[in-house]
Amino acid sequence: MFSINVTALLFACSVLAKEFDYIVVGGGTTGLPLAVRLAEYWNLALVEAGGRYEKRYPLAKTPGADVLPVGSDPETSSSIDWGFVTEPFLGANGRRLHVAQGKCLGGSSALNFMVDHRPTKQSLEVWVLLTSDLSYLFENVLPWYQRSVKFTPPNTATRFENASVLYNADAFIPSGGPLDVTYSNYAQSFSTWLEGGFEEVGIHRAVDFNSGKLEGYQYCSSTIRPSDQHRSSSEWSFLNQRVPGLTVYTDTLAKRVIFDDELNAVEVEVSHRGFKRNLTASREIIISAGALHSPQLLMVSGIGPRQHLENHGIEVLVERPAVGQDMWDHPFVGPSYRVNVEKVTKLANSPTYLASKYLRWARKQLGPFTNPVSDLLAWEKIPYELRKDFSTETLQALSQFPDDWPEAEYISAPGFLGNISNLKADQPDDGYQYASIIGVLLAPASRGTVDTKSEQEVVVAMFKRIREVFASNAMDPVVIGDEYLPGNQVQTDEEILEYIRENVMTLWHPSGTCRMGRIQDLAVVDSRGRVYGVNRLRVVDASAFEILLPGHPQSTCYMLAEKIADDIIRNGADVAEDVRTDL
Ligand SMILES: Cc1cc2nc3c(=O)[nH]c(=O)nc-3n(C[C@H](O)[C@H](O)[C@H](O)COP(=O)(O)OP(=O)(O)OC[C@H]3O[C@@H](n4cnc5c(N)ncnc54)[C@H](O)[C@@H]3O)c2cc1C
Ligand SMILES: *[C@@H]1O[C@H](CO)[C@@H](O)[C@H](O)[C@H]1NC(C)=O
Ligand SMILES: *[C@@H]1O[C@H](CO)[C@@H](O)[C@H](O)[C@H]1NC(C)=O
Ligand SMILES: *[C@@H]1O[C@H](CO)[C@@H](O)[C@H](O)[C@H]1NC(C)=O
């Protein structure tokens, strides 16, 4: 009790006389790198609701332990997660799902599955069309994708010989960093078999997923530090040394943004262990609280859909109907089989095996715990044999997406999947090993569910493709018996769809809830992240994505942090006389 009051008192004193140039709210995947880049030039406050995850949840450092805290069971909790649970929704047969989101320095980069790749060229052209901003063309954002990343080629001495990695070293720059991107020292042996299965159904080996193309399969690069095979999060990389100019407030919740009479954002009301203060920003306030919290902060600060704000008794400063709307995510699901390769199932069911493998990671940087579990990815448009049965409505919905935008992603999942309720406890304890292939819907017509007819037709086709892979001759030596779940009795499209609804989960990619774009299209922020209708306020994180690009979004969060930081450094805030000319 005493220590808490002392902290609160210190907190109060430390901010009494403090005025900052910039305040960044949210020390996550986007906010933390953005704050560190700006701190080279200005005085910053970084306000983060959580603390250091290495202390609160040390397992977050271990790639192979990433599956533990993220299950869909509404009771799932961990000390670095916000514990969001959805309302019951139709596409999931009225189930309520836990959706993990990081609450710590590093944000969701401390909880994610570490897959790191870049989107396709034409998907960024869609972004350009919707924002009228050519600076988002692939070749124009490429330097910002590259800037954060220090790339290290795979360690061929430790990986299986039959799990070699192709990559394009030219996709990275020597001066990039500090975020480490490399490959696990260990490949999932299930993935080595899956390669043959993909080939047989017509999905071929790709060279690289970092140069604007997502087609075919390969081992993806991951946010792993090669020296010790630890997770490389935004915090572990950008904040592993003291940053002069940056004051980090941990365990501090931003309550709302306060405006002056000219609608300039000037203060953030924050709360630390129940103790409230106002922090002042002389230049700008930047919200990077993630796709679920950034719109909430705008709304409690008076920016959002009028009716919604009035229902909650909030005075409307600026009406922006799209705040909190238009969320995109990627639904996923997949069947499970018994296999005769050593898998996650054994780790889950044998404590001694688990302990020995954990020590192998900690002491030697080897073994399954160096692997973030999902290492082999594949992308495709649903091929003609299945596509020919799609309705006109579905074909029309899919034609909205450009040629290089894959409709389906398949991810190697060396364990039992089911409804992803609890990836450890759900592993059957019957002596068998299990493996699954996750199918991810990348071209949803609605926003992140499987409610429309076109989405349903595509996910069913995706499910059938996964069954073709498991039925391939290449996989035959490792697959034991018939499909375990849902099993061969599930055959018609309607039966498959029912299984999908009962087991679907979202891939933790919520985005677009404060989307950027043109003011006449009711966007919330412009393409530089500036909130329409007020001054000196930006939103920069996954909520500001114009669209959810195909694949995994963390690289785009880092890109956005670098791009907007550069924009601010070059052009200053809305304060013209401070424009820097020495760059
Ligand atoms: C389980 C999981 C697996 C994933 N796997 C992958 C993957 O393999 N590859 C990939 O590319 N992407 C993956 N993602 C998605 C990716 O990690 C996210 O899209 C990305 O991290 C989002 O970054 P962000 O900056 O928008 O938000 P976050 O990184 O979540 O940061 C938001 C921060 O704001 C803080 N905050 C919120 N509200 C407040 C407030 N009021 N006051 C102060 N602080 C506040 C939060 O605590 C958090 O630290 C995964 C995500 C999850 C959760
Ligand atoms: C997952 O399935 C189990 C067993 O069928 C069930 O008890 C649980 O409620 C389901 N969880 C979710 C989140 O759907
Ligand atoms: C690749 O090698 C690993 C390790 O020897 C082995 O477990 C796996 O079965 C092999 N895969 C194939 C396809 O032969
Ligand atoms: C912060 O500023 C607002 C607006 O001026 C004021 O209403 C509020 O009481 C202040 N909060 C604190 C903790 O000083």
Side-chain angles (χ1 to χ4, degrees):
M1 203 55 205
F2 178 70
S3 72
I4 288 176
N5 286 337
V6 170
T7 332
L9 199 69
L10 286 175
F11 170 75
C13 298
S14 71
V15 295
L16 265 181
K18 277 274 166 70
E19 186 186 277
F20 298 93
D21 297 322
Y22 291 88
I23 299 172
V24 175
V25 174
T29 317
T30 321
L32 202 154
L34 178 64
V36 169
R37 294 300 190 208
L38 293 180
E40 280 179 45
Y41 300 94
W42 288 291
N43 262 314
L44 261 92
L46 177 64
V47 178
E48 169 53 47
R52 291 222 171 229
Y53 65 86
E54 296 91 325
K55 297 216 174 94
R56 288 184 194 172
Y57 185 68
L59 268 182
K61 289 183 294 195
T62 315
D66 57 2
V67 294
L68 295 178
V70 303
S72 64
D73 180 349
E75 302 297 315
T76 311
S77 69
S78 93
S79 47
I80 59 165
D81 175 29
W82 283 94
F84 282 107
V85 177
T86 65
E87 292 295 318
F89 64 98
L90 198 65
N93 271 357
R95 292 177 303 134
R96 298 171 69 235
L97 305 175
H98 164 239
V99 179
Q101 292 286 291
K103 182 185 185 180
C104 53
L105 286 169
S108 298
S109 73
L111 268 181
N112 71 18
F113 283 9
M114 304 176 216
V115 174
D116 195 67
H117 71 82
R118 298 172 190 155
T120 65
K121 291 188 176 168
Q122 290 174 2
S123 64
L124 279 157
E125 284 171 13
V126 179
W127 190 308
V128 166
L129 269 174
L130 295 170
T131 53
S132 305
D133 186 341
L134 287 168
S135 72
Y136 284 92
L137 282 175
F138 184 83
E139 58 265 35
N140 295 340
V141 286
L142 185 59
W144 308 122
Y145 277 103
Q146 291 171 324
R147 185 165 187 218
S148 306
V149 174
K150 179 175 187 300
F151 177 75
T152 308
N155 184 343
T156 47
T158 60
R159 290 176 65 89
F160 299 144
E161 265 174 39
N162 62 9
S164 62
V165 174
L166 295 181
Y167 60 91
N168 170 20
D170 292 339
F172 304 93
I173 51 171
S175 60
L179 181 74
D180 274 303
V181 170
T182 188
Y183 300 83
S184 162
N185 278 348
Y186 174 94
Q188 301 289 352
S189 50
F190 175 65
S191 301
T192 66
W193 292 94
L194 200 48
E195 291 188 56
F198 283 144
E199 285 288 350
E200 212 172 306
V201 305
I203 301 174
H204 302 296
R205 178 181 273 255
V207 175
D208 120 81
F209 294 155
N210 282 299
S211 305
K213 262 178 85 171
L214 295 174
E215 193 184 4
Y217 71 86
Q218 75 158 194
Y219 292 96
C220 64
S221 41
S222 308
T223 42
I224 294 178
R225 186 161 80 176
S227 59
D228 54 9
Q229 296 277 299
H230 277 217
R231 172 193 292 276
S232 183
S233 66
S234 68
E235 182 244 59
W236 188 258
S237 53
F238 278 84
L239 210 59
N240 66 358
Q241 57 189 39
R242 219 184 74 78
V243 179
L246 182 66
T247 306
V248 182
Y249 294 98
T250 53
D251 297 305
T252 304
L253 187 72
K255 307 288 282 184
R256 64 187 173 121
V257 177
I258 295 161
F259 297 86
D260 68 12
D261 293 341
E262 274 90 51
L263 289 181
N264 295 307
V266 287
E267 286 181 310
V268 181
E269 186 172 85
V270 301
S271 157
H272 174 77
R273 299 182 202 266
F275 198 98
K276 280 190 186 164
R277 287 307 313 166
N278 287 344
L279 302 179
T280 306
S282 63
R283 300 178 64 98
E284 277 193 72
I285 293 164
I286 302 165
I287 300 180
S288 302
L292 302 179
H293 276 120
S294 289
Q296 183 259 348
L297 259 177
L298 287 187
M299 287 193 258
V300 295
S301 308
I303 304 168
R306 174 173 295 279
Q307 196 58 55
H308 186 75
L309 265 50
E310 284 174 356
N311 290 347
H312 286 82
I314 301 167
E315 187 201 340
V316 181
L317 278 186
V318 179
E319 188 175 358
R320 298 303 315 157
V323 174
Q325 308 298 310
D326 305 317
M327 187 167 93
W328 281 52
D329 206 334
H330 290 141
F332 79 97
V333 67
S336 297
Y337 288 69
R338 286 178 170 165
V339 292
N340 61 14
V341 280
E342 213 166 77
K343 287 291 132 262
V344 170
T345 317
K346 184 163 179 193
L347 287 172
N349 289 318
S350 165
T352 48
Y353 182 75
L354 180 116
S356 75
K357 295 298 177 192
Y358 183 80
L359 289 176
R360 205 162 149 68
W361 165 75
R363 296 195 179 142
K364 300 232 159 78
Q365 295 82 51
L366 294 172
F369 274 107
T370 68
N371 186 299
V373 183
S374 290
D375 58 2
L376 191 79
L377 313 183
W379 318 86
E380 70 167 0
K381 293 248 195 215
I382 300 296
Y384 175 73
E385 311 88 72
L386 288 163
R387 199 178 196 88
K388 68 180 179 358
D389 301 329
F390 285 171
S391 62
T392 326
E393 183 191 329
T394 298
L395 290 172
Q396 193 152 14
L398 294 177
S399 72
Q400 315 283 316
F401 295 91
D403 290 347
D404 76 359
W405 186 308
E407 291 154 0
E409 177 186 4
Y410 307 108
I411 309 180
S412 166
F416 175 83
L417 206 59
N419 64 8
I420 309 104
S421 175
N422 178 332
L423 286 166
K424 181 167 187 291
D426 294 349
Q427 298 301 314
D429 190 7
D430 56 8
Y432 286 100
Q433 301 303 307
Y434 289 82
S436 315
I437 300 173
I438 289 172
V440 188
L441 176 65
L442 295 178
S446 60
R447 292 295 175 249
T449 59
V450 281
D451 290 341
T452 68
K453 182 152 185 267
S454 67
E455 287 157 351
Q456 292 170 358
E457 288 190 356
V458 180
V459 280
V460 169
M462 204 167 74
F463 204 85
K464 291 179 179 169
R465 284 292 276 165
I466 295 176
R467 284 180 156 179
E468 287 175 19
V469 177
F470 270 111
S472 66
N473 293 323
M475 301 277 288
D476 195 47
V478 286
V479 173
I480 302 172
D482 293 338
E483 183 175 274
Y484 179 78
L485 199 80
N488 287 345
Q489 78 287 359
V490 170
Q491 280 303 331
T492 65
D493 288 4
E494 194 39 57
E495 287 164 352
I496 293 174
L497 191 59
E498 179 55 23
Y499 178 79
I500 291 169
R501 285 206 196 94
E502 214 29 62
N503 293 277
V504 71
M505 173 59 190
T506 88
L507 203 59
W508 309 280
H509 297 171
S511 49
T513 47
C514 301
R515 75 182 153 80
M516 65 172 60
R518 292 176 293 244
I519 191 161
Q520 64 269 33
D521 298 331
L522 300 180
V524 177
V525 300
D526 71 6
S527 61
R528 298 169 62 194
R530 298 178 301 183
V531 179
Y532 284 120
V534 296
N535 306 313
R536 298 207 219 157
L537 182 67
R538 292 190 209 229
V539 177
V540 186
D541 58 17
S543 73
F545 288 3
E546 162 56 45
I547 48 174
L548 180 54
L549 298 161
H552 303 256
Q554 66 168 334
S555 63
T556 298
C557 292
Y558 288 102
M559 175 280 278
L560 211 54
E562 297 285 8
K563 185 176 193 300
I564 305 287
D566 176 76
D567 178 27
I568 293 173
I569 290 163
R570 278 171 198 276
N571 301 314
D574 290 330
V575 191
E577 66 272 20
D578 288 332
V579 170
R580 299 188 56 91
T581 51
D582 57 337
L583 286 162

